[in-house]
């Protein structure tokens, strides 16, 4: 007969004492083992739960980090593209402003001419150099600053001939304005500005105008 089966008596039993109702007693050693196993199981379940939560947090953090990095990369690329687009104009604007405020002297004009002439390979090539009137005047002053003062012209026929020669001097171009460059003939060109220089040879025209140089720099910056 199972101890869990209900028994009904017609009358209350007499002389019967119930000392214990419930699970059968468990030895102390077995009870301690059950407690230990339950504790270990609880620890394992808690560890698995928190490990799963940590994995979820890591995955969420990685996802947000990837989104943030992608956004930063996109903004960085957009900023760099904007800089690439605007930088040539900024550089050219600054260059034009600096060049516009730069005062040239005869030595600087001579340097410009020599730099442009250096692009020709033939040393004996006859070249026509064109400068604006102001730069040509500066170059003449630079070339003749060490020349002795001309002797005064005598009155009469000789003085008249010298005056006539002075009137026509330079109409066909000025030579020997740069020491060591006997192959150059200089002309003034009112269409050129300060710092501009153009050189003509039998092969064509070498354009050394500031505007041309700036446009070349602009092209290289935008293509680079």
């Amino acid at each position: 007969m199972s101890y869990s089966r209900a028994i009904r008596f017609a009358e209350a039993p007499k002389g019967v004492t119930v000392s214990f109702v419930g699970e059968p007693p468990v030895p102390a050693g077995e009870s301690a083992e059950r407690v230990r196993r339950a504790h270990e199981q609880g620890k394992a379940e808690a560890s698995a739960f928190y490990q799963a939560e940590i994995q979820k947090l890591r995955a969420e953090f990685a996802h947000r980090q990837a989104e943030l990095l992608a956004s930063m990369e996109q903004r960085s690329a957009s900023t760099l593209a904007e800089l690439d687009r605007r930088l040539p104009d900024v550089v050219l604007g600054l260059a034009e402003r600096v060049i516009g405020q730069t005062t040239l002297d005869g030595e600087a004009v001579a340097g410009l001419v020599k730099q442009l002439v250096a692009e020709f390979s033939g040393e004996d090539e006859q070249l026509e150099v064109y400068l604006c009137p102001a730069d040509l005047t500066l170059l003449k002053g630079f070339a003749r600053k060490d020349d002795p003062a001309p002797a005064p012209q005598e009155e009469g026929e000789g003085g008249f001939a010298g005056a006539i020669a002075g009137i026509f001097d330079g109409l066909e171009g000025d030579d020997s304005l740069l020491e060591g460059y006997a192959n150059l003939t200089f002309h003034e060109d009112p269409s050129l500005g300060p710092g501009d220089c153009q050189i003509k040879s039998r092969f064509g025209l070498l354009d050394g105008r500031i505007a041309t140089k700036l446009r070349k720099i602009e092209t290289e910056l935008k293509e680079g």
Side-chain angles (χ1 to χ4, degrees), residues 5-199:
R5 183 176 179 183
I7 302 175
R8 297 181 180 180
F9 298 92
E11 296 181 2
K14 298 178 180 180
V16 177
T17 303
V18 178
S19 60
F20 177 80
V21 176
E23 294 284 341
V26 177
E30 184 179 347
S31 176
E33 181 62 21
R34 288 183 180 182
V35 170
R36 187 190 66 79
R37 287 200 300 265
H39 179 70
E40 293 295 332
Q41 182 178 358
K43 285 175 59 178
E45 291 176 353
S47 177
F49 173 78
Y50 286 115
Q51 287 293 333
E53 290 297 313
I54 291 173
Q55 291 298 328
K56 287 170 59 178
L57 290 174
R58 286 179 176 174
E60 183 178 356
F61 177 78
H63 177 68
R64 292 186 179 181
Q65 184 183 43
E67 288 184 337
L68 178 61
L69 291 176
S71 176
M72 292 176 61
E73 185 177 356
Q74 182 179 3
R75 292 183 181 181
S76 175
S78 176
T79 302
L80 290 176
E82 186 67 14
L83 285 175
D84 286 341
R85 186 180 67 83
R86 295 189 180 186
L87 188 58
D89 295 332
V90 174
V91 171
L92 290 175
L94 291 174
E96 289 174 348
R97 180 173 297 182
V98 171
I99 292 173
Q101 297 175 354
T102 301
T103 302
L104 295 175
D105 57 13
E107 186 175 1
V109 175
L112 290 173
V113 174
K114 290 178 181 178
Q115 183 180 9
L116 204 59
V117 170
E119 297 188 24
F120 287 89
S121 58
E123 296 182 357
D124 297 330
E125 176 71 23
Q126 292 299 315
L127 304 176
E128 305 286 331
V129 181
Y130 292 84
L131 300 169
C132 73
D135 285 356
L136 185 57
T137 300
L138 289 173
L139 185 61
K140 288 179 180 180
F142 174 75
R144 297 169 181 169
K145 63 181 180 180
D146 297 327
D147 290 350
Q153 297 288 339
E154 297 181 358
E155 297 292 338
E157 184 176 353
F160 178 76
I164 294 297
I167 293 176
F168 293 97
D169 184 28
L171 290 181
E172 297 299 325
D174 292 292
D175 300 327
S176 303
L177 292 184
L178 286 180
E179 185 178 354
Y181 291 84
N183 59 321
L184 303 183
T185 302
F186 292 85
H187 306 271
E188 68 175 39
D189 185 347
S191 67
L192 299 178
D196 289 344
C197 180
Q198 288 184 324
I199 297 181

